[in-house]
């Protein structure tokens, strides 16, 4: 009898994450790649990698779960058993690894969130609004400006003895402050450490505002790989911060678990990597609202459409 | 009849009683602003100061579209916040754009002095008679009350209808036919008839459904387009939506003294506009054991921003989750969906655990 496995995909704005788990929630395959503005392409790239990682094992993918900002689109093309928002997915994933967790910090490419948990249940959460200050994308662009790889940020930050204070309210201010401080002669490691602190200050002042932060605290998302930010967090909240080795995959893990819980028996094949999917945008034009409707075609056949706000814009399949 | 074609910006479905007030009471033509669409908001945003609160932009968009539809007399009201400055600024912006119109700013009157109010209505139509307005006004006020009662019932049941769309269709018919009613008696019979229709719509309501209270700023809470149809979105998840804020509760009746008394443990001073009601209702929903509360406001609304720390205290005292939304003219749809879905997951998982 073949082993039943479950695929979880987390398609974010910057990166696409995927895990394959077994019935005991053990990760048997995982990968992290850049989305590069093409969620369908990223998923197509991801699937053969899983096939290779799973090798000659006798298995079947019984259910697929999808989360992240492209969840709806990828949910349709993979015929997912469950499509979940990333807040719930992150909470479920974290609770499966750390049942006692009380606070989850998550900083991704374009968004950041805080999730408060009590007795294994989400009691409150918040997500950044209107502004991507203090997220991964900001760190990446500043790394480029400083001529270092963002992956080395953490290491470099830890060598600093005197982090440069950098304005944390807004990335525009932070950036001009950073340029100014660099021209004044502050060292690169001090500036990088200062940036890590700024990210944390921004997070706690915006997303974390008014939330009671109780330990144990788990930190995840792409930015949790940055040891400079971890250190800045620990200093700011005066508590130990746990970062899982798979901290970048927790959303995918959570949605894989939710997929397993649907008890679906779908037998998903990785072959969709070879199927041609095309999306086309169209303006409804039936009223001055001009809803932008997205149509999804599979080998030139319309399989789904959305974007209309009223029934006038419904597209017949 | 005069050649006056009056208009007032959209607020919920109150264009129905307003139309009756203007046509039958003040005896002028009334132009119902075209329904709010993306174009309305685009027009309003293009010609507004960037940091003004969003309702100002919607109102301005309504004026422009009504002017295009032939309106020549624009009416605006005042209020206990920036709303009080809307009229002057709207008029100036529209004049600068080159439109030709009359602007009647009720905001410049003292509502406590009925005579000034009457005088300003006279400004819309000098031939208006006191007798006529005294005959029509009670019908208009009742209309507002009946619309509010019907919509309250709809919000609590629409999420459970067997045949999707039935409530919406009945609701539209209810509003459309109401426009021709001119007497209190006729209106009463009409209301009874429709409430029976609403109550006969088949629903599948569980014994203990999820209940969510919606609170927040005056305009954003009452204009579904401006809150991305949040109530409808929540209802389709199978939730009873409770919203106290409407014209009946805020303009026709004055509940401020009660509100102040209810919340005296949380608030000492009057915080302006709808902030006191927001806090009062949040506390009430919390005490009634609702599953969650959603707070909506336009970006930068000062009174509602001030209310948030108090809401956070209520949230932690009563262990009730509160989700905060701040809408402006460029809010992303997916961001709202994500938060709402997570909110639903959170309250249903909590409920199932109990």
């Amino acid at each position: 009898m073949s082993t039943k496995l479950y695929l979880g995909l987390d398609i974010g704005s910057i990166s696409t994450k995927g895990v394959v788990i077994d019935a005991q929630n053990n990760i048997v395959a995982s990968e992290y790649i850049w989305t590069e503005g093409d969620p369908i392409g990223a998923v197509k790239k991801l699937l053969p990698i899983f096939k290779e990682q799973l090798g000659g094992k006798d298995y079947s993918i019984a259910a697929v779960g999808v989360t992240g900002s492209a969840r709806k689109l990828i949910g349709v093309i993979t015929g997912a058993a469950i499509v979940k928002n990333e807040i719930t997915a992150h909470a479920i994933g974290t609770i499966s690894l750390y049942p006692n967790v009380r606070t989850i910090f998550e900083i991704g490419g374009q968004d950041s969130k805080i999730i408060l948990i009590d007795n294994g249940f989400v009691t409150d959460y918040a997500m950044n609004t209107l502004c991507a200050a203090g997220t991964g994308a900001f760190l990446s662009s500043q790394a480029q400006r400083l001529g270092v790889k963002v992956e080395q940020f953490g290491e470099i930050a830890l060598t600093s003895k005197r982090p440069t204070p950098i304005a944390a309210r807004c990335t525009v201010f932070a950036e001009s402050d950073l340029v100014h401080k660099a021209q004044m002669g502050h060292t690169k490691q001090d500036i990088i450490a200062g940036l890590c602190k700024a990210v944390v200050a921004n997070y706690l002042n915006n997303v974390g505002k008014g939330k009671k932060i109780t330990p144990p605290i788990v930190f995840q998302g792409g930015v949790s790989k940055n040891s400079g930010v971890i250190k800045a967090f620990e200093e700011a909240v005066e508590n130990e911060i746990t970062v899982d080795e798979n901290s970048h995959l927790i959303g995918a893990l959570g949605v894989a678990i939710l997929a397993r819980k649907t008890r679906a028996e779908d037998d998903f094949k990785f072959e969709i990597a070879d199927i041609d999917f095309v999306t086309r945008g169209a303006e409804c034009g039936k009223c001055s609202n001009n809803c932008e409707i997205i149509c999804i075609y599979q080998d030139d056949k319309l399989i789904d459409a959305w974007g209309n706000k009223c029934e006038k814009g419904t597209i017949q399949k | 009849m005069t050649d006056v074609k009056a208009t007032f910006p959209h607020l919920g479905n109150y264009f129905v009683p307003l139309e009756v007030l203007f046509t039958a009471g003040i005896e002028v033509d009334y132009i119902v602003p075209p329904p709010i669409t993306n174009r309305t908001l685009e027009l309003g945003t293009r010609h507004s100061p960037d940091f003004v609160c969003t309702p100002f932009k919607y109102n301005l968009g309504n004026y422009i579209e009504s002017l295009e539809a032939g309106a020549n007399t624009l009416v605006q009201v005042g209020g206990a916040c920036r709303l009080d400055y809307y009229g002057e600024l709207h008029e100036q912006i529209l004049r600068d754009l080159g439109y030709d119109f009359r602007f009647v700013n009720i905001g410049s009157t003292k509502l406590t002095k009925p005579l000034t109010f009457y005088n300003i209505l006279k400004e819309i139509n000098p031939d208006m008679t006191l007798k006529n307005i005294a005959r029509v006004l009670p019908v208009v006020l009742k209309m507002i009350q009946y619309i509010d009662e019907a919509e309250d019932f709809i919000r609590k049941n629409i999420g459970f209808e067997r045949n999707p769309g039935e409530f919406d269709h009945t609701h539209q018919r209810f509003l459309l036919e109401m426009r021709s009613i001119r007497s209190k008696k006729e209106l009463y019979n009409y209301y009874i008839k429709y409430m029976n229709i609403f109550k006969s719509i088949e629903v599948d309501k569980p014994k203990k459904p999820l209940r969510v209270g919606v609170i927040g700023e005056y305009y954003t809470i009452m204009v579904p387009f401006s809150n991305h149809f949040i109530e409808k979105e929540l209802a389709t998840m199978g939730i009873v939506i409770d919203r106290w804020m409407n014209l009946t509760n805020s303009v026709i009746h004055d509940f401020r003294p009660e509100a102040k008394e209810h919340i005296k443990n949380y608030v000492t001073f009057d915080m302006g506009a709808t902030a006191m009601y927001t806090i009062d209702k949040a506390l009430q929903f919390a005490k009634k054991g609702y599953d969650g509360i959603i707070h909506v406001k336009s970006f930068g609304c000062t009174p509602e921003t001030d209310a948030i720390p108090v809401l956070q205290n209520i949230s932690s005292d009563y262990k009730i989750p509160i989700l905060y939304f701040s809408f402006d003219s460029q809010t992303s749809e997916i961001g709202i969906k994500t938060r709402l879905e997570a909110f639903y997951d959170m309250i249903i998982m909590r409920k199932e655990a109990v």
Side-chain angles (χ1 to χ4, degrees), chain A residues 137-309:
Chain A
F138 169 64
L139 285 177
S140 292
S141 68
Q142 297 317 312
Q144 212 169 9
R145 170 184 288 281
L146 295 166
V148 295
K149 283 206 161 120
V150 72
E151 291 86 346
Q152 299 167 336
F153 244 55
E155 246 175 85
I156 299 173
L158 293 184
T159 63
S160 160
K161 297 229 160 47
R162 241 175 236 284
T164 304
I166 289 181
R169 182 169 301 276
C170 161
T171 52
V172 179
F173 296 154
E175 186 161 341
S176 50
D177 205 22
L178 179 151
V179 173
H180 174 70
K181 296 277 162 69
Q183 303 299 69
M184 296 273 290
H186 288 255
T187 65
K188 217 172 245 187
Q189 57 263 43
D190 287 349
I191 289 176
I192 290 173
L195 262 182
C196 293
K197 282 185 98 115
V199 163
V200 167
N202 181 286
Y203 176 92
L204 294 173
N205 281 329
N206 285 305
V207 186
K209 194 175 210 164
K211 305 279 181 239
K212 195 160 180 263
I213 294 164
T214 325
I217 304 165
V218 177
F219 176 27
Q220 56 208 32
V223 176
S224 69
K225 296 292 172 194
N226 183 324
S227 44
V229 175
I230 301 174
K231 187 174 168 232
F233 258 129
E234 288 186 328
E235 284 170 5
V237 301
E238 295 175 342
N239 256 305
E240 200 191 323
I241 307 276
T242 307
V243 180
D244 193 83
E245 54 168 332
N246 290 320
S247 64
H248 55 305
L249 300 172
I250 307 293
L253 171 67
V255 83
I257 294 171
L258 289 167
R260 180 175 65 71
K261 287 185 177 164
T262 61
R263 298 170 190 273
E265 303 270 355
D266 286 342
D267 195 19
F268 171 78
K269 297 283 184 231
F270 289 126
E271 269 75 67
I272 72 150
D274 306 322
I275 299 174
D276 194 24
F277 290 101
V278 181
T279 59
R280 285 190 203 118
E283 279 197 6
C284 169
K286 292 198 174 115
C287 77
S288 57
N289 223 18
N290 273 329
C291 291
E292 221 169 292
I293 300 175
I294 302 287
C295 304
I296 324 291
Y297 297 88
Q298 176 179 341
D299 291 330
D300 284 333
K301 199 176 140 258
L302 181 71
I303 54 168
D304 208 347
W306 55 70
N308 51 307
K309 284 208 175 85

Side-chain angles (χ1 to χ4, degrees), chain A residues 14-37:
Chain A
I14 305 288
S15 63
T16 293
K17 288 78 66 178
V19 299
V20 177
I21 60 165
D22 62 18
Q24 283 75 46
N25 298 346
N26 299 308
I27 297 177
V28 293
S30 71
E31 190 58 53
Y32 180 103
I33 60 172
W34 302 118
T35 309
E36 294 172 332

Side-chain angles (χ1 to χ4, degrees), chain B residues 151-169:
Chain B
E151 291 184 355
D152 186 60
F153 181 81
I154 295 171
R155 275 192 288 275
K156 287 174 176 158
N157 291 285
I158 190 168
F160 308 93
E161 59 186 356
R162 277 230 178 104
N163 309 313
E166 215 176 334
F167 269 108
D168 265 349
H169 289 142

Side-chain angles (χ1 to χ4, degrees), chain B residues 48-280:
Chain B
S48 295
D50 198 25
F51 273 92
V52 76
C53 28
T54 329
F56 182 92
K57 300 175 185 176
Y58 279 103
N59 280 185
L60 186 62
N62 279 153
Y63 283 138
I64 293 175
E65 288 187 320
S66 294
L67 285 164
E68 288 170 352
N72 57 20
T73 302
L74 315 183
V75 183
Q76 183 57 290
V77 293
C81 60
R82 262 178 276 186
L83 174 57
D84 233 23
Y85 306 110
Y86 276 22
E88 269 172 73
L89 200 50
H90 278 140
E91 182 179 359
Q92 191 59 53
I93 290 172
L94 291 167
R95 295 244 181 265
D96 289 349
L97 286 172
Y99 289 104
D100 187 25
F101 56 88
R102 237 161 27 111
F103 202 89
V104 179
N105 192 357
I106 301 176
S108 64
T109 65
K110 293 248 180 310
L111 284 176
T112 43
K113 290 183 187 156
L115 193 64
T116 56
F117 184 62
Y118 176 68
N119 284 341
I120 204 125
L121 293 184
K122 271 262 191 208
E123 233 179 81
I124 301 172
N125 178 13
D127 301 331
M128 183 192 80
T129 62
L130 188 58
K131 198 176 136 213
N132 209 23
I133 203 91
R135 183 176 58 81
V136 174
L137 199 59
V139 183
V140 169
L141 294 178
K142 264 285 174 247
M143 258 182 200
I144 293 174
Q145 193 189 324
Y146 289 156
I147 289 178
D148 287 341
E149 280 173 25
E151 291 184 355
D152 186 60
F153 181 81
I154 295 171
R155 275 192 288 275
K156 287 174 176 158
N157 291 285
I158 190 168
F160 308 93
E161 59 186 356
R162 277 230 178 104
N163 309 313
E166 215 176 334
F167 269 108
D168 265 349
H169 289 142
T170 317
H171 185 196
Q172 289 311 318
R173 236 178 30 235
F174 168 70
L175 293 169
L176 192 72
E177 291 170 23
M178 188 187 263
R179 291 167 79 167
S180 58
I181 293 177
R182 295 289 179 273
S183 86
K184 240 176 143 174
K185 184 151 190 275
E186 194 190 347
L187 180 67
Y188 177 75
N189 293 334
Y190 179 79
Y191 167 72
I192 296 295
K193 181 183 108 184
Y194 260 96
M195 278 318 279
N196 283 331
I197 301 179
F198 282 126
K199 282 175 186 156
S200 68
I201 293 177
E202 278 183 79
V203 288
D204 259 329
K205 212 171 179 177
K207 253 202 182 121
K208 286 195 169 169
L210 287 171
R211 292 179 301 168
V212 168
V214 181
I215 54 172
E217 169 251 310
Y218 209 62
Y219 186 90
T220 305
I221 199 172
M222 286 202 262
V223 178
F225 190 97
S226 79
N227 61 41
H228 293 246
F229 301 92
I230 210 166
E231 288 178 350
K232 205 170 174 185
E233 197 80 39
L234 279 168
T236 49
M237 295 171 170
I239 299 175
V240 170
I241 310 298
D242 199 343
R243 186 241 280 172
W244 174 88
M245 177 55 72
N246 55 33
L247 277 193
T248 307
N249 289 338
S250 57
V251 172
I252 299 181
H253 300 293
D254 184 3
F255 289 108
R256 268 174 304 179
E258 286 100 313
K260 224 176 159 180
E261 175 64 24
H262 293 161
I263 60 174
K264 61 175 185 226
N265 291 338
Y266 286 95
V267 176
T268 316
F269 303 104
D270 198 327
M271 295 161 74
T274 44
M276 309 296 276
Y277 292 139
T278 295
I279 296 164
D280 181 26

